[in-house]
PDB file of all heavy atoms in Angstrom:
ATOM      1  N   GLY J  16     -36.980 -67.532 145.367  1.00 94.00           N
ATOM      2  CA  GLY J  16     -38.127 -67.404 146.285  1.00 94.00           C
ATOM      3  C   GLY J  16     -37.882 -68.028 147.627  1.00 94.00           C
ATOM      4  O   GLY J  16     -36.822 -68.624 147.861  1.00 94.00           O
ATOM      5  N   PHE J  17     -38.847 -67.945 148.520  1.00 93.00           N
ATOM      6  CA  PHE J  17     -38.706 -68.440 149.881  1.00 93.00           C
ATOM      7  C   PHE J  17     -38.343 -69.942 149.903  1.00 93.00           C
ATOM      8  O   PHE J  17     -37.384 -70.351 150.540  1.00 93.00           O
ATOM      9  CB  PHE J  17     -39.957 -68.188 150.694  1.00 93.00           C
ATOM     10  CG  PHE J  17     -39.917 -68.839 152.045  1.00 93.00           C
ATOM     11  CD1 PHE J  17     -39.168 -68.219 153.072  1.00 93.00           C
ATOM     12  CD2 PHE J  17     -40.542 -70.005 152.314  1.00 93.00           C
ATOM     13  CE1 PHE J  17     -39.086 -68.805 154.320  1.00 93.00           C
ATOM     14  CE2 PHE J  17     -40.451 -70.610 153.560  1.00 93.00           C
ATOM     15  CZ  PHE J  17     -39.733 -69.999 154.574  1.00 93.00           C
ATOM     16  N   ALA J  18     -39.128 -70.752 149.217  1.00 93.00           N
ATOM     17  CA  ALA J  18     -38.929 -72.193 149.238  1.00 93.00           C
ATOM     18  C   ALA J  18     -37.554 -72.570 148.603  1.00 93.00           C
ATOM     19  O   ALA J  18     -36.834 -73.408 149.147  1.00 93.00           O
ATOM     20  CB  ALA J  18     -40.045 -72.932 148.518  1.00 93.00           C
ATOM     21  N   GLY J  19     -37.216 -71.925 147.529  1.00 95.00           N
ATOM     22  CA  GLY J  19     -35.954 -72.221 146.864  1.00 95.00           C
ATOM     23  C   GLY J  19     -34.780 -71.813 147.730  1.00 95.00           C
ATOM     24  O   GLY J  19     -33.759 -72.538 147.812  1.00 95.00           O
ATOM     25  N   ALA J  20     -34.874 -70.676 148.383  1.00 96.00           N
ATOM     26  CA  ALA J  20     -33.799 -70.207 149.231  1.00 96.00           C
ATOM     27  C   ALA J  20     -33.649 -71.126 150.485  1.00 96.00           C
ATOM     28  O   ALA J  20     -32.527 -71.421 150.885  1.00 96.00           O
ATOM     29  CB  ALA J  20     -34.046 -68.778 149.719  1.00 96.00           C
ATOM     30  N   GLU J  21     -34.741 -71.588 150.987  1.00 95.00           N
ATOM     31  CA  GLU J  21     -34.690 -72.525 152.105  1.00 95.00           C
ATOM     32  C   GLU J  21     -34.044 -73.845 151.664  1.00 95.00           C
ATOM     33  O   GLU J  21     -33.258 -74.461 152.388  1.00 95.00           O
ATOM     34  CB  GLU J  21     -36.093 -72.775 152.661  1.00 95.00           C
ATOM     35  CG  GLU J  21     -36.129 -73.645 153.880  1.00 95.00           C
ATOM     36  CD  GLU J  21     -35.402 -73.049 155.130  1.00 95.00           C
ATOM     37  OE1 GLU J  21     -34.978 -71.892 155.098  1.00 95.00           O
ATOM     38  OE2 GLU J  21     -35.250 -73.790 156.096  1.00 95.00           O
ATOM     39  N   LEU J  22     -34.356 -74.251 150.459  1.00 95.00           N
ATOM     40  CA  LEU J  22     -33.715 -75.470 149.933  1.00 95.00           C
ATOM     41  C   LEU J  22     -32.197 -75.262 149.764  1.00 95.00           C
ATOM     42  O   LEU J  22     -31.409 -76.156 150.107  1.00 95.00           O
ATOM     43  CB  LEU J  22     -34.336 -75.856 148.604  1.00 95.00           C
ATOM     44  CG  LEU J  22     -33.719 -77.120 147.997  1.00 95.00           C
ATOM     45  CD1 LEU J  22     -33.987 -78.311 148.894  1.00 95.00           C
ATOM     46  CD2 LEU J  22     -34.292 -77.376 146.646  1.00 95.00           C
ATOM     47  N   LEU J  23     -31.782 -74.117 149.292  1.00 98.00           N
ATOM     48  CA  LEU J  23     -30.356 -73.807 149.187  1.00 98.00           C
ATOM     49  C   LEU J  23     -29.705 -73.883 150.580  1.00 98.00           C
ATOM     50  O   LEU J  23     -28.587 -74.417 150.724  1.00 98.00           O
ATOM     51  CB  LEU J  23     -30.107 -72.444 148.575  1.00 98.00           C
ATOM     52  CG  LEU J  23     -30.416 -72.292 147.098  1.00 98.00           C
ATOM     53  CD1 LEU J  23     -30.280 -70.828 146.679  1.00 98.00           C
ATOM     54  CD2 LEU J  23     -29.509 -73.188 146.251  1.00 98.00           C
ATOM     55  N   ARG J  24     -30.374 -73.368 151.604  1.00 97.00           N
ATOM     56  CA  ARG J  24     -29.857 -73.402 152.951  1.00 97.00           C
ATOM     57  C   ARG J  24     -29.654 -74.846 153.406  1.00 97.00           C
ATOM     58  O   ARG J  24     -28.607 -75.212 153.943  1.00 97.00           O
ATOM     59  CB  ARG J  24     -30.765 -72.659 153.915  1.00 97.00           C
ATOM     60  CG  ARG J  24     -30.211 -72.583 155.337  1.00 97.00           C
ATOM     61  CD  ARG J  24     -31.240 -72.003 156.316  1.00 97.00           C
ATOM     62  NE  ARG J  24     -32.365 -72.910 156.528  1.00 97.00           N
ATOM     63  CZ  ARG J  24     -32.335 -73.992 157.289  1.00 97.00           C
ATOM     64  NH1 ARG J  24     -31.234 -74.361 157.908  1.00 97.00           N
ATOM     65  NH2 ARG J  24     -33.432 -74.729 157.446  1.00 97.00           N
ATOM     66  N   LEU J  25     -30.676 -75.669 153.196  1.00 96.00           N
ATOM     67  CA  LEU J  25     -30.591 -77.091 153.602  1.00 96.00           C
ATOM     68  C   LEU J  25     -29.523 -77.839 152.826  1.00 96.00           C
ATOM     69  O   LEU J  25     -28.744 -78.610 153.387  1.00 96.00           O
ATOM     70  CB  LEU J  25     -31.944 -77.775 153.427  1.00 96.00           C
ATOM     71  CG  LEU J  25     -33.065 -77.262 154.366  1.00 96.00           C
ATOM     72  CD1 LEU J  25     -34.404 -77.823 153.890  1.00 96.00           C
ATOM     73  CD2 LEU J  25     -32.760 -77.676 155.764  1.00 96.00           C
ATOM     74  N   ALA J  26     -29.431 -77.580 151.525  1.00 97.00           N
ATOM     75  CA  ALA J  26     -28.439 -78.249 150.675  1.00 97.00           C
ATOM     76  C   ALA J  26     -27.023 -77.886 151.100  1.00 97.00           C
ATOM     77  O   ALA J  26     -26.101 -78.695 151.051  1.00 97.00           O
ATOM     78  CB  ALA J  26     -28.669 -77.923 149.216  1.00 97.00           C
ATOM     79  N   ALA J  27     -26.840 -76.646 151.565  1.00 97.00           N
ATOM     80  CA  ALA J  27     -25.502 -76.169 151.951  1.00 97.00           C
ATOM     81  C   ALA J  27     -24.917 -76.979 153.112  1.00 97.00           C
ATOM     82  O   ALA J  27     -23.694 -77.170 153.219  1.00 97.00           O
ATOM     83  CB  ALA J  27     -25.529 -74.721 152.305  1.00 97.00           C
ATOM     84  N   SER J  28     -25.802 -77.513 153.961  1.00 95.00           N
ATOM     85  CA  SER J  28     -25.311 -78.252 155.107  1.00 95.00           C
ATOM     86  C   SER J  28     -25.319 -79.761 154.898  1.00 95.00           C
ATOM     87  O   SER J  28     -24.956 -80.509 155.812  1.00 95.00           O
ATOM     88  CB  SER J  28     -26.149 -77.897 156.367  1.00 95.00           C
ATOM     89  OG  SER J  28     -27.471 -78.295 156.189  1.00 95.00           O
ATOM     90  N   HIS J  29     -25.694 -80.163 153.683  1.00 97.00           N
ATOM     91  CA  HIS J  29     -25.715 -81.623 153.394  1.00 97.00           C
ATOM     92  C   HIS J  29     -24.379 -82.018 152.776  1.00 97.00           C
ATOM     93  O   HIS J  29     -23.952 -81.481 151.760  1.00 97.00           O
ATOM     94  CB  HIS J  29     -26.845 -81.944 152.448  1.00 97.00           C
ATOM     95  CG  HIS J  29     -27.173 -83.405 152.355  1.00 97.00           C
ATOM     96  ND1 HIS J  29     -26.311 -84.325 151.785  1.00 97.00           N
ATOM     97  CD2 HIS J  29     -28.214 -84.116 152.820  1.00 97.00           C
ATOM     98  CE1 HIS J  29     -26.834 -85.506 151.855  1.00 97.00           C
ATOM     99  NE2 HIS J  29     -28.012 -85.439 152.497  1.00 97.00           N
ATOM    100  N   PRO J  30     -23.715 -83.009 153.401  1.00 96.00           N
ATOM    101  CA  PRO J  30     -22.366 -83.356 152.895  1.00 96.00           C
ATOM    102  C   PRO J  30     -22.302 -84.012 151.539  1.00 96.00           C
ATOM    103  O   PRO J  30     -21.246 -84.052 150.909  1.00 96.00           O
ATOM    104  CB  PRO J  30     -21.871 -84.345 153.988  1.00 96.00           C
ATOM    105  CG  PRO J  30     -23.100 -84.914 154.582  1.00 96.00           C
ATOM    106  CD  PRO J  30     -24.150 -83.825 154.510  1.00 96.00           C
ATOM    107  N   SER J  31     -23.443 -84.486 151.007  1.00 97.00           N
ATOM    108  CA  SER J  31     -23.416 -85.177 149.728  1.00 97.00           C
ATOM    109  C   SER J  31     -24.054 -84.413 148.578  1.00 97.00           C
ATOM    110  O   SER J  31     -24.224 -84.965 147.494  1.00 97.00           O
ATOM    111  CB  SER J  31     -24.133 -86.531 149.840  1.00 97.00           C
ATOM    112  OG  SER J  31     -23.487 -87.345 150.833  1.00 97.00           O
ATOM    113  N   LEU J  32     -24.456 -83.160 148.845  1.00 97.00           N
ATOM    114  CA  LEU J  32     -25.111 -82.386 147.782  1.00 97.00           C
ATOM    115  C   LEU J  32     -24.250 -81.238 147.320  1.00 97.00           C
ATOM    116  O   LEU J  32     -23.640 -80.511 148.115  1.00 97.00           O
ATOM    117  CB  LEU J  32     -26.461 -81.797 148.294  1.00 97.00           C
ATOM    118  CG  LEU J  32     -27.506 -82.788 148.728  1.00 97.00           C
ATOM    119  CD1 LEU J  32     -28.743 -82.040 149.202  1.00 97.00           C
ATOM    120  CD2 LEU J  32     -27.856 -83.765 147.611  1.00 97.00           C
ATOM    121  N   GLU J  33     -24.171 -81.104 146.002  1.00 98.00           N
ATOM    122  CA  GLU J  33     -23.460 -79.979 145.391  1.00 98.00           C
ATOM    123  C   GLU J  33     -24.466 -79.217 144.516  1.00 98.00           C
ATOM    124  O   GLU J  33     -24.937 -79.760 143.515  1.00 98.00           O
ATOM    125  CB  GLU J  33     -22.297 -80.470 144.532  1.00 98.00           C
ATOM    126  CG  GLU J  33     -21.596 -79.365 143.767  1.00 98.00           C
ATOM    127  CD  GLU J  33     -20.619 -79.889 142.743  1.00 98.00           C
ATOM    128  OE1 GLU J  33     -20.432 -81.132 142.611  1.00 98.00           O
ATOM    129  OE2 GLU J  33     -20.030 -79.080 141.995  1.00 98.00           O
ATOM    130  N   VAL J  34     -24.747 -77.989 144.877  1.00 98.00           N
ATOM    131  CA  VAL J  34     -25.659 -77.164 144.088  1.00 98.00           C
ATOM    132  C   VAL J  34     -24.883 -76.623 142.907  1.00 98.00           C
ATOM    133  O   VAL J  34     -23.923 -75.864 143.079  1.00 98.00           O
ATOM    134  CB  VAL J  34     -26.294 -76.039 144.931  1.00 98.00           C
ATOM    135  CG1 VAL J  34     -27.135 -75.111 144.038  1.00 98.00           C
ATOM    136  CG2 VAL J  34     -27.115 -76.601 146.075  1.00 98.00           C
ATOM    137  N   VAL J  35     -25.309 -77.001 141.707  1.00 98.00           N
ATOM    138  CA  VAL J  35     -24.624 -76.634 140.468  1.00 98.00           C
ATOM    139  C   VAL J  35     -25.169 -75.326 139.907  1.00 98.00           C
ATOM    140  O   VAL J  35     -24.454 -74.522 139.349  1.00 98.00           O
ATOM    141  CB  VAL J  35     -24.740 -77.781 139.451  1.00 98.00           C
ATOM    142  CG1 VAL J  35     -24.144 -77.423 138.128  1.00 98.00           C
ATOM    143  CG2 VAL J  35     -24.083 -79.026 140.004  1.00 98.00           C
ATOM    144  N   PHE J  36     -26.484 -75.147 139.981  1.00 98.00           N
ATOM    145  CA  PHE J  36     -27.074 -73.892 139.521  1.00 98.00           C
ATOM    146  C   PHE J  36     -28.318 -73.568 140.333  1.00 98.00           C
ATOM    147  O   PHE J  36     -28.909 -74.409 140.986  1.00 98.00           O
ATOM    148  CB  PHE J  36     -27.438 -73.941 138.022  1.00 98.00           C
ATOM    149  CG  PHE J  36     -28.654 -74.766 137.709  1.00 98.00           C
ATOM    150  CD1 PHE J  36     -29.944 -74.265 137.886  1.00 98.00           C
ATOM    151  CD2 PHE J  36     -28.537 -76.073 137.234  1.00 98.00           C
ATOM    152  CE1 PHE J  36     -31.064 -75.014 137.599  1.00 98.00           C
ATOM    153  CE2 PHE J  36     -29.646 -76.833 136.922  1.00 98.00           C
ATOM    154  CZ  PHE J  36     -30.902 -76.308 137.118  1.00 98.00           C
ATOM    155  N   ALA J  37     -28.681 -72.274 140.263  1.00 98.00           N
ATOM    156  CA  ALA J  37     -29.888 -71.797 140.928  1.00 98.00           C
ATOM    157  C   ALA J  37     -30.504 -70.774 139.988  1.00 98.00           C
ATOM    158  O   ALA J  37     -29.835 -69.839 139.550  1.00 98.00           O
ATOM    159  CB  ALA J  37     -29.527 -71.104 142.266  1.00 98.00           C
ATOM    160  N   THR J  38     -31.775 -71.002 139.611  1.00 98.00           N
ATOM    161  CA  THR J  38     -32.427 -70.042 138.738  1.00 98.00           C
ATOM    162  C   THR J  38     -33.299 -69.106 139.559  1.00 98.00           C
ATOM    163  O   THR J  38     -33.800 -69.483 140.621  1.00 98.00           O
ATOM    164  CB  THR J  38     -33.273 -70.701 137.638  1.00 98.00           C
ATOM    165  OG1 THR J  38     -34.487 -71.233 138.208  1.00 98.00           O
ATOM    166  CG2 THR J  38     -32.551 -71.799 136.888  1.00 98.00           C
ATOM    167  N   GLY J  39     -33.487 -67.957 139.023  1.00 96.00           N
ATOM    168  CA  GLY J  39     -34.385 -66.992 139.567  1.00 96.00           C
ATOM    169  C   GLY J  39     -34.489 -65.878 138.526  1.00 96.00           C
ATOM    170  O   GLY J  39     -33.682 -64.969 138.484  1.00 96.00           O
ATOM    171  N   ASP J  40     -35.481 -66.056 137.641  1.00 92.00           N
ATOM    172  CA  ASP J  40     -35.589 -65.144 136.475  1.00 92.00           C
ATOM    173  C   ASP J  40     -35.583 -63.683 136.853  1.00 92.00           C
ATOM    174  O   ASP J  40     -34.893 -62.874 136.228  1.00 92.00           O
ATOM    175  CB  ASP J  40     -36.813 -65.492 135.643  1.00 92.00           C
ATOM    176  CG  ASP J  40     -36.645 -66.823 134.886  1.00 92.00           C
ATOM    177  OD1 ASP J  40     -35.525 -67.383 134.863  1.00 92.00           O
ATOM    178  OD2 ASP J  40     -37.646 -67.287 134.325  1.00 92.00           O
ATOM    179  N   SER J  41     -36.336 -63.331 137.904  1.00 94.00           N
ATOM    180  CA  SER J  41     -36.406 -61.912 138.298  1.00 94.00           C
ATOM    181  C   SER J  41     -35.106 -61.438 138.991  1.00 94.00           C
ATOM    182  O   SER J  41     -34.880 -60.247 139.107  1.00 94.00           O
ATOM    183  CB  SER J  41     -37.582 -61.641 139.211  1.00 94.00           C
ATOM    184  OG  SER J  41     -37.442 -62.340 140.431  1.00 94.00           O
ATOM    185  N   GLN J  42     -34.272 -62.371 139.432  1.00 97.00           N
ATOM    186  CA  GLN J  42     -33.012 -62.043 140.069  1.00 97.00           C
ATOM    187  C   GLN J  42     -31.793 -62.467 139.275  1.00 97.00           C
ATOM    188  O   GLN J  42     -30.676 -62.451 139.776  1.00 97.00           O
ATOM    189  CB  GLN J  42     -32.951 -62.769 141.451  1.00 97.00           C
ATOM    190  CG  GLN J  42     -33.998 -62.314 142.423  1.00 97.00           C
ATOM    191  CD  GLN J  42     -33.815 -60.876 142.849  1.00 97.00           C
ATOM    192  OE1 GLN J  42     -32.724 -60.345 142.876  1.00 97.00           O
ATOM    193  NE2 GLN J  42     -34.919 -60.197 143.166  1.00 97.00           N
ATOM    194  N   ALA J  43     -32.007 -62.798 138.008  1.00 97.00           N
ATOM    195  CA  ALA J  43     -30.900 -63.236 137.153  1.00 97.00           C
ATOM    196  C   ALA J  43     -29.783 -62.215 137.162  1.00 97.00           C
ATOM    197  O   ALA J  43     -29.991 -61.006 137.055  1.00 97.00           O
ATOM    198  CB  ALA J  43     -31.377 -63.476 135.735  1.00 97.00           C
ATOM    199  N   GLY J  44     -28.539 -62.739 137.393  1.00 97.00           N
ATOM    200  CA  GLY J  44     -27.358 -61.889 137.446  1.00 97.00           C
ATOM    201  C   GLY J  44     -26.977 -61.466 138.851  1.00 97.00           C
ATOM    202  O   GLY J  44     -25.908 -60.971 139.068  1.00 97.00           O
ATOM    203  N   THR J  45     -27.884 -61.711 139.811  1.00 98.00           N
ATOM    204  CA  THR J  45     -27.616 -61.384 141.210  1.00 98.00           C
ATOM    205  C   THR J  45     -26.952 -62.539 141.920  1.00 98.00           C
ATOM    206  O   THR J  45     -27.355 -63.687 141.728  1.00 98.00           O
ATOM    207  CB  THR J  45     -28.978 -61.041 141.947  1.00 98.00           C
ATOM    208  OG1 THR J  45     -29.624 -59.991 141.259  1.00 98.00           O
ATOM    209  CG2 THR J  45     -28.744 -60.660 143.377  1.00 98.00           C
ATOM    210  N   LYS J  46     -25.935 -62.264 142.714  1.00 98.00           N
ATOM    211  CA  LYS J  46     -25.354 -63.309 143.527  1.00 98.00           C
ATOM    212  C   LYS J  46     -26.338 -63.783 144.602  1.00 98.00           C
ATOM    213  O   LYS J  46     -27.042 -62.961 145.194  1.00 98.00           O
ATOM    214  CB  LYS J  46     -24.065 -62.840 144.181  1.00 98.00           C
ATOM    215  CG  LYS J  46     -22.868 -62.781 143.272  1.00 98.00           C
ATOM    216  CD  LYS J  46     -21.626 -62.516 144.068  1.00 98.00           C
ATOM    217  CE  LYS J  46     -20.418 -62.655 143.173  1.00 98.00           C
ATOM    218  NZ  LYS J  46     -19.166 -62.570 143.953  1.00 98.00           N
ATOM    219  N   VAL J  47     -26.378 -65.085 144.839  1.00 98.00           N
ATOM    220  CA  VAL J  47     -27.240 -65.643 145.831  1.00 98.00           C
ATOM    221  C   VAL J  47     -27.011 -64.968 147.185  1.00 98.00           C
ATOM    222  O   VAL J  47     -27.939 -64.580 147.917  1.00 98.00           O
ATOM    223  CB  VAL J  47     -27.058 -67.165 145.957  1.00 98.00           C
ATOM    224  CG1 VAL J  47     -27.739 -67.733 147.193  1.00 98.00           C
ATOM    225  CG2 VAL J  47     -27.585 -67.854 144.689  1.00 98.00           C
ATOM    226  N   GLY J  48     -25.729 -64.763 147.568  1.00 97.00           N
ATOM    227  CA  GLY J  48     -25.379 -64.145 148.833  1.00 97.00           C
ATOM    228  C   GLY J  48     -25.761 -62.688 148.934  1.00 97.00           C
ATOM    229  O   GLY J  48     -25.933 -62.152 150.029  1.00 97.00           O
ATOM    230  N   ASP J  49     -25.906 -62.002 147.800  1.00 98.00           N
ATOM    231  CA  ASP J  49     -26.366 -60.599 147.847  1.00 98.00           C
ATOM    232  C   ASP J  49     -27.862 -60.537 148.176  1.00 98.00           C
ATOM    233  O   ASP J  49     -28.300 -59.613 148.850  1.00 98.00           O
ATOM    234  CB  ASP J  49     -26.088 -59.901 146.496  1.00 98.00           C
ATOM    235  CG  ASP J  49     -24.604 -59.645 146.290  1.00 98.00           C
ATOM    236  OD1 ASP J  49     -23.841 -59.739 147.265  1.00 98.00           O
ATOM    237  OD2 ASP J  49     -24.227 -59.343 145.129  1.00 98.00           O
ATOM    238  N   LEU J  50     -28.650 -61.479 147.636  1.00 97.00           N
ATOM    239  CA  LEU J  50     -30.074 -61.496 147.947  1.00 97.00           C
ATOM    240  C   LEU J  50     -30.343 -62.110 149.308  1.00 97.00           C
ATOM    241  O   LEU J  50     -31.195 -61.639 150.065  1.00 97.00           O
ATOM    242  CB  LEU J  50     -30.830 -62.284 146.851  1.00 97.00           C
ATOM    243  CG  LEU J  50     -32.347 -62.287 146.988  1.00 97.00           C
ATOM    244  CD1 LEU J  50     -32.923 -60.859 146.891  1.00 97.00           C
ATOM    245  CD2 LEU J  50     -32.970 -63.157 145.927  1.00 97.00           C
ATOM    246  N   TYR J  51     -29.579 -63.155 149.658  1.00 97.00           N
ATOM    247  CA  TYR J  51     -29.718 -63.851 150.912  1.00 97.00           C
ATOM    248  C   TYR J  51     -28.397 -63.895 151.612  1.00 97.00           C
ATOM    249  O   TYR J  51     -27.597 -64.837 151.473  1.00 97.00           O
ATOM    250  CB  TYR J  51     -30.264 -65.275 150.694  1.00 97.00           C
ATOM    251  CG  TYR J  51     -31.657 -65.296 150.119  1.00 97.00           C
ATOM    252  CD1 TYR J  51     -31.879 -65.679 148.807  1.00 97.00           C
ATOM    253  CD2 TYR J  51     -32.746 -64.919 150.910  1.00 97.00           C
ATOM    254  CE1 TYR J  51     -33.187 -65.681 148.276  1.00 97.00           C
ATOM    255  CE2 TYR J  51     -34.016 -64.926 150.387  1.00 97.00           C
ATOM    256  CZ  TYR J  51     -34.240 -65.276 149.076  1.00 97.00           C
ATOM    257  OH  TYR J  51     -35.505 -65.280 148.568  1.00 97.00           O
ATOM    258  N   PRO J  52     -28.064 -62.857 152.405  1.00 98.00           N
ATOM    259  CA  PRO J  52     -26.733 -62.769 153.060  1.00 98.00           C
ATOM    260  C   PRO J  52     -26.399 -63.995 153.892  1.00 98.00           C
ATOM    261  O   PRO J  52     -25.216 -64.371 153.992  1.00 98.00           O
ATOM    262  CB  PRO J  52     -26.815 -61.526 153.899  1.00 98.00           C
ATOM    263  CG  PRO J  52     -27.821 -60.648 153.184  1.00 98.00           C
ATOM    264  CD  PRO J  52     -28.848 -61.635 152.653  1.00 98.00           C
ATOM    265  N   HIS J  53     -27.379 -64.660 154.469  1.00 97.00           N
ATOM    266  CA  HIS J  53     -27.111 -65.829 155.274  1.00 97.00           C
ATOM    267  C   HIS J  53     -26.566 -67.002 154.444  1.00 97.00           C
ATOM    268  O   HIS J  53     -26.047 -67.978 154.996  1.00 97.00           O
ATOM    269  CB  HIS J  53     -28.310 -66.248 156.103  1.00 97.00           C
ATOM    270  CG  HIS J  53     -29.448 -66.778 155.286  1.00 97.00           C
ATOM    271  ND1 HIS J  53     -30.279 -65.944 154.535  1.00 97.00           N
ATOM    272  CD2 HIS J  53     -29.922 -68.017 155.107  1.00 97.00           C
ATOM    273  CE1 HIS J  53     -31.169 -66.677 153.924  1.00 97.00           C
ATOM    274  NE2 HIS J  53     -30.991 -67.959 154.267  1.00 97.00           N
ATOM    275  N   LEU J  54     -26.694 -66.935 153.121  1.00 98.00           N
ATOM    276  CA  LEU J  54     -26.197 -67.981 152.250  1.00 98.00           C
ATOM    277  C   LEU J  54     -24.860 -67.648 151.594  1.00 98.00           C
ATOM    278  O   LEU J  54     -24.287 -68.448 150.861  1.00 98.00           O
ATOM    279  CB  LEU J  54     -27.210 -68.270 151.137  1.00 98.00           C
ATOM    280  CG  LEU J  54     -28.547 -68.846 151.599  1.00 98.00           C
ATOM    281  CD1 LEU J  54     -29.526 -68.969 150.433  1.00 98.00           C
ATOM    282  CD2 LEU J  54     -28.345 -70.191 152.292  1.00 98.00           C
ATOM    283  N   TYR J  55     -24.313 -66.455 151.875  1.00 97.00           N
ATOM    284  CA  TYR J  55     -23.074 -66.032 151.255  1.00 97.00           C
ATOM    285  C   TYR J  55     -21.928 -66.979 151.500  1.00 97.00           C
ATOM    286  O   TYR J  55     -21.181 -67.369 150.594  1.00 97.00           O
ATOM    287  CB  TYR J  55     -22.678 -64.623 151.697  1.00 97.00           C
ATOM    288  CG  TYR J  55     -21.396 -64.171 151.024  1.00 97.00           C
ATOM    289  CD1 TYR J  55     -21.404 -63.731 149.728  1.00 97.00           C
ATOM    290  CD2 TYR J  55     -20.161 -64.317 151.679  1.00 97.00           C
ATOM    291  CE1 TYR J  55     -20.220 -63.370 149.071  1.00 97.00           C
ATOM    292  CE2 TYR J  55     -18.959 -63.967 151.042  1.00 97.00           C
ATOM    293  CZ  TYR J  55     -19.031 -63.503 149.748  1.00 97.00           C
ATOM    294  OH  TYR J  55     -17.843 -63.160 149.126  1.00 97.00           O
ATOM    295  N   ALA J  56     -21.721 -67.427 152.735  1.00 97.00           N
ATOM    296  CA  ALA J  56     -20.587 -68.304 153.031  1.00 97.00           C
ATOM    297  C   ALA J  56     -20.676 -69.637 152.296  1.00 97.00           C
ATOM    298  O   ALA J  56     -19.671 -70.178 151.872  1.00 97.00           O
ATOM    299  CB  ALA J  56     -20.519 -68.585 154.553  1.00 97.00           C
ATOM    300  N   ALA J  57     -21.883 -70.151 152.111  1.00 97.00           N
ATOM    301  CA  ALA J  57     -22.080 -71.406 151.425  1.00 97.00           C
ATOM    302  C   ALA J  57     -21.938 -71.277 149.898  1.00 97.00           C
ATOM    303  O   ALA J  57     -21.486 -72.222 149.216  1.00 97.00           O
ATOM    304  CB  ALA J  57     -23.407 -72.004 151.758  1.00 97.00           C
ATOM    305  N   TYR J  58     -22.360 -70.137 149.375  1.00 98.00           N
ATOM    306  CA  TYR J  58     -22.400 -69.939 147.919  1.00 98.00           C
ATOM    307  C   TYR J  58     -21.791 -68.573 147.539  1.00 98.00           C
ATOM    308  O   TYR J  58     -22.496 -67.731 146.981  1.00 98.00           O
ATOM    309  CB  TYR J  58     -23.847 -70.014 147.412  1.00 98.00           C
ATOM    310  CG  TYR J  58     -24.581 -71.269 147.802  1.00 98.00           C
ATOM    311  CD1 TYR J  58     -25.561 -71.277 148.815  1.00 98.00           C
ATOM    312  CD2 TYR J  58     -24.284 -72.489 147.199  1.00 98.00           C
ATOM    313  CE1 TYR J  58     -26.241 -72.415 149.163  1.00 98.00           C
ATOM    314  CE2 TYR J  58     -24.970 -73.648 147.574  1.00 98.00           C
ATOM    315  CZ  TYR J  58     -25.941 -73.604 148.555  1.00 98.00           C
ATOM    316  OH  TYR J  58     -26.607 -74.750 148.876  1.00 98.00           O
ATOM    317  N   PRO J  59     -20.516 -68.361 147.771  1.00 97.00           N
ATOM    318  CA  PRO J  59     -19.941 -67.023 147.530  1.00 97.00           C
ATOM    319  C   PRO J  59     -19.958 -66.626 146.050  1.00 97.00           C
ATOM    320  O   PRO J  59     -19.986 -65.440 145.737  1.00 97.00           O
ATOM    321  CB  PRO J  59     -18.523 -67.157 148.051  1.00 97.00           C
ATOM    322  CG  PRO J  59     -18.234 -68.620 148.046  1.00 97.00           C
ATOM    323  CD  PRO J  59     -19.529 -69.303 148.292  1.00 97.00           C
TER     324      PRO J  59
END
Protein backbone atom coordinates (compact mmCIF):
# COMPACT_ATOMS: atom_id res chain seq x y z
CA GLY A 1 0.00 0.00 0.00
CA PHE A 2 0.90 3.68 -0.12
CA ALA A 3 2.31 3.94 3.42
CA GLY A 4 4.24 0.69 3.15
CA ALA A 5 5.73 1.64 -0.21
CA GLU A 6 6.77 5.02 1.16
CA LEU A 7 8.41 3.26 4.08
CA LEU A 8 10.32 1.02 1.65
CA ARG A 9 11.49 4.15 -0.18
CA LEU A 10 12.73 5.74 3.05
CA ALA A 11 14.39 2.53 4.25
CA ALA A 12 16.24 2.15 0.94
CA SER A 13 18.15 5.37 1.57
CA HIS A 14 18.93 4.65 5.22
CA PRO A 15 22.47 3.29 5.64
CA SER A 16 21.63 1.16 8.70
CA LEU A 17 18.40 -0.51 7.57
CA GLU A 18 18.09 -3.79 5.71
CA VAL A 19 14.58 -4.69 4.54
CA VAL A 20 14.32 -8.47 4.95
CA PHE A 21 10.72 -8.96 3.83
CA ALA A 22 7.72 -7.05 2.56
CA THR A 23 4.21 -8.43 2.77
CA GLY A 24 1.32 -7.56 0.54
CA ASP A 25 -1.31 -10.28 0.49
CA SER A 26 -3.07 -8.97 -2.64
CA GLN A 27 0.32 -8.58 -4.38
CA ALA A 28 1.94 -11.79 -3.13
CA GLY A 29 4.38 -13.12 -5.71
CA THR A 30 4.87 -9.71 -7.36
CA LYS A 31 8.28 -8.09 -7.31
CA VAL A 32 8.32 -4.80 -5.40
CA GLY A 33 9.95 -3.10 -8.41
CA ASP A 34 7.22 -4.34 -10.75
CA LEU A 35 4.52 -2.68 -8.66
CA TYR A 36 6.64 0.36 -7.77
CA PRO A 37 9.22 0.94 -10.53
CA HIS A 38 10.90 3.72 -8.54
CA LEU A 39 11.90 1.05 -5.98
CA TYR A 40 13.39 -1.40 -8.47
CA ALA A 41 17.01 -0.25 -8.04
CA ALA A 42 16.80 -0.55 -4.26
CA TYR A 43 14.96 -3.89 -4.21
CA PRO A 44 15.58 -5.74 -7.49
